[in-house]
Amino acid sequence: VQLVESGGEMVQPGGSLRLSCVGSGFAFADVGMSWVRQAPEKGLEWVSGILSDGQHTYYADSVKGRFTISRDNAKNTLYLQMNNLKPEDSATYHCAARLVQWMPDMGPLHTSDLSDWGQGTQVTVSS
């Protein structure tokens, strides 16, 4: 299994970015996917998830209304459109396979909860 993220960069507050994640080595179209992020000295945070068919999406409250997750199964690619970015969105963003949603009552998300995830792409929101 390989997951390769791209698209992260430095952007000003209020700006937009589109992240991509290309998956290989598994049946991408059959698997739910998520974006998770980790800021320096903070734990993992689940951001957004999408079912295999792309018809059902889920978001953390912190990004709802600003981020949009989507996927192109023909291209084995997961996307995250991020608008109205805030400094608190600064983090390394990872895509994760076989994860669709992580609810707050499930406790903190740990790397041991992720079966497959990529190395990440860095997003910095700063003026």
Side-chain angles (χ1 to χ4, degrees):
V1 173
Q2 188 172 23
L3 296 164
V4 180
E5 302 93 339
S6 63
E9 62 180 75
M10 179 176 287
V11 63
Q12 292 188 342
S16 297
L17 283 176
R18 189 194 198 200
L19 306 184
S20 299
C21 166
V22 178
S24 60
F26 66 106
F28 182 89
D30 295 340
V31 173
M33 299 289 297
S34 276
W35 288 97
V36 301
R37 66 186 181 186
Q38 186 162 25
E41 300 182 4
K42 291 189 177 181
L44 276 175
E45 179 187 12
W46 173 80
V47 175
S48 181
I50 187 168
L51 291 181
S52 59
D53 63 4
Q55 297 303 304
H56 296 85
T57 57
Y58 308 88
Y59 299 93
D61 288 343
S62 57
V63 306
K64 200 171 294 183
R66 300 187 298 121
F67 290 11
T68 302
I69 190 171
S70 62
R71 64 191 296 164
D72 185 339
N73 287 340
K75 296 182 179 180
N76 283 8
T77 303
L78 178 74
Y79 303 101
L80 186 68
Q81 177 66 43
M82 306 187 295
N83 298 329
N84 190 21
L85 283 160
K86 304 176 181 181
E88 53 263 41
D89 294 318
S90 297
T92 300
Y93 283 72
H94 306 267
C95 61
R98 301 180 181 86
L99 175 70
V100 172
Q101 196 172 16
W102 193 267
M103 304 299 291
D105 59 4
M106 296 168 70
L109 177 63
H110 300 290
T111 56
S112 57
D113 297 311
L114 306 177
S115 58
D116 298 288
W117 56 314
Q119 290 298 306
T121 185
Q122 179 67 40
V123 172
T124 303
V125 185
S126 175
S127 55

